């Protein structure tokens, strides 16, 4: 069986000489990542994975929280060949900013990712003939990759299908973390700001005119969240 994760000491662990490894401290990037996290908008019950060697493992890597992103297990490993399809539905309408992914430095790391939106019923018999919204080249790294997408193409997402088409040369592909960043809108209601705020959220109320829409669907209080339209 192929090795899916890098064979090195886990983050925060000890090496053979009793020394701590401190070169990968991710504690300072938790707040920026959580600002635009779409974790609470994922409909975990309906995640579907094709060609996973262990049933439910595609769902398991998506259910990992940001704090659990560096844990090597659980992970999803492809079965019959190197290809994987993971379909992730959302409970709300999503404007996707980026895809978060952790694989490894091994040959089992996926290389090409084809992304589809709002395409029900895609499987291996139909996905090759379907045109992806965007095709992405992935890095071979054990760090979490934040993969930017063309935001103007992902402004109305209710279901995302990820087709990991190939890898760096292994007979199976492995992924240990999958997440998403973006903004979201309650279906049938006014736009909702995704930041956690102490004050009442204007997005919970009906908005008249365009100025309220811009304030709610754009920039956070720190001035981040610029949009690429």
């Amino acid at each position: 069986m192929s090795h899916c994760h890098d064979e090195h000491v886990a983050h925060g662990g000890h090496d053979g000489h009793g020394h701590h490894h401190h070169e990968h401290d991710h504690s300072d990037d938790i707040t920026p990542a959580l600002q635009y996290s779409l974790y609470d908008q994922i409909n975990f019950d309906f995640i579907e994975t094709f060609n996973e060697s262990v049933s439910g493992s595609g769902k398991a890597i998506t259910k990992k929280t940001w704090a659990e992103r560096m844990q090597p297990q659980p992970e999803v490993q492809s079965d019959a060949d190197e290809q994987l399809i993971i379909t992730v539905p959302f409970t709300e309408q999503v404007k996707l900013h980026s895809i978060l992914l952790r694989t490894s430095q091994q040959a089992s790391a996926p290389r090409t990712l084809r992304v589809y939106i709002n395409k029900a019923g895609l499987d291996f018999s139909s996905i090759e003939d379907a045109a992806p919204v965007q095709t992405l080249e992935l890095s071979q790294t054990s760090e979490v990759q934040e993969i930017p997408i063309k935001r103007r193409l992902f402004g109305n997402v209710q279901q995302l299908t990820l087709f990991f088409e190939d890898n760096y040369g292994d007979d199976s592909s492995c992924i240990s973390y999958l997440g998403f960043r973006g903004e979201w809108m309650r279906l049938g209601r006014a736009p909702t700001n995704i930041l956690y705020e102490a004050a009442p959220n204007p997005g919970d109320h009906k908005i008249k005119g365009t100025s309220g829409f811009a304030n709610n669907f754009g920039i956070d209080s720190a001035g981040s969240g610029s949009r690429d339209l």
Side-chain angles (χ1 to χ4, degrees), residues 3-224:
H3 294 289
C4 284
H5 51 272
D6 293 324
E7 297 178 350
H8 57 68
V9 179
H11 293 267
H14 294 78
D15 61 19
H17 302 285
H19 299 295
H20 282 280
H21 288 276
H22 295 291
E23 63 270 27
H24 298 297
D25 182 3
H26 299 272
S27 59
D28 59 347
D29 61 5
I30 290 179
T31 300
L34 290 180
Q35 283 182 340
Y36 282 97
S37 172
L38 292 174
Y39 186 87
D40 289 337
Q41 284 68 53
I42 297 173
N43 193 341
F44 293 106
D45 291 339
F46 292 96
I47 291 175
E48 189 171 20
T49 306
F50 291 97
N51 197 36
E52 57 185 353
S53 59
V54 176
S55 179
S57 55
K59 180 187 298 186
I61 66 163
T62 313
K63 290 187 78 171
K64 282 186 181 179
T65 63
W66 178 252
E68 298 168 333
R69 68 198 183 279
M70 302 305 292
Q71 295 179 5
Q73 298 292 335
E75 68 181 357
V76 61
Q77 180 174 1
S78 64
D79 190 14
D81 56 26
E82 77 280 10
Q83 296 187 333
L84 278 166
I85 297 175
I86 304 177
T87 296
V88 180
F90 296 95
T91 58
E92 317 291 352
Q93 181 175 303
V94 166
K95 176 180 173 63
L96 190 66
H97 290 184
S98 60
I99 299 168
L100 301 169
L101 196 70
R102 183 170 187 255
T103 59
S104 73
Q105 296 177 348
Q106 306 298 321
S108 61
R111 184 169 188 167
T112 306
L113 171 59
R114 294 167 62 179
V115 187
Y116 306 79
I117 61 173
N118 306 336
K119 291 279 190 182
L122 284 179
D123 56 22
F124 285 110
S125 65
S126 58
I127 203 163
E128 293 284 2
D129 296 325
V133 176
Q134 191 171 356
T135 299
L136 303 163
E137 292 297 318
L138 307 177
S139 299
Q140 193 176 14
T141 175
S142 57
E143 295 299 306
V144 174
Q145 304 175 56
E146 180 166 10
I147 307 155
I149 46 85
K150 295 178 180 177
R151 295 187 190 182
R152 67 182 182 276
L153 303 178
F154 292 84
N156 181 18
V157 180
Q158 295 180 35
Q159 178 176 284
L160 200 63
T161 299
L162 308 177
F163 176 29
F164 298 92
E165 187 174 19
D166 55 17
N167 62 23
Y168 281 86
D170 207 341
D171 54 359
S172 64
S173 296
C174 301
I175 304 166
S176 62
Y177 174 75
L178 176 62
F180 307 96
R181 297 185 71 201
E183 304 164 53
W184 59 277
M185 181 187 299
R186 291 182 180 171
L187 294 174
R189 295 189 60 182
T192 302
N193 194 326
I194 53 80
L195 298 181
Y196 299 101
E197 299 176 344
N201 190 342
D204 290 336
H205 306 282
K206 187 174 180 181
I207 296 173
K208 296 181 180 179
T210 58
S211 59
F213 182 90
N215 290 336
N216 256 302
F217 214 64
I219 302 174
D220 65 28
S221 58
S224 62

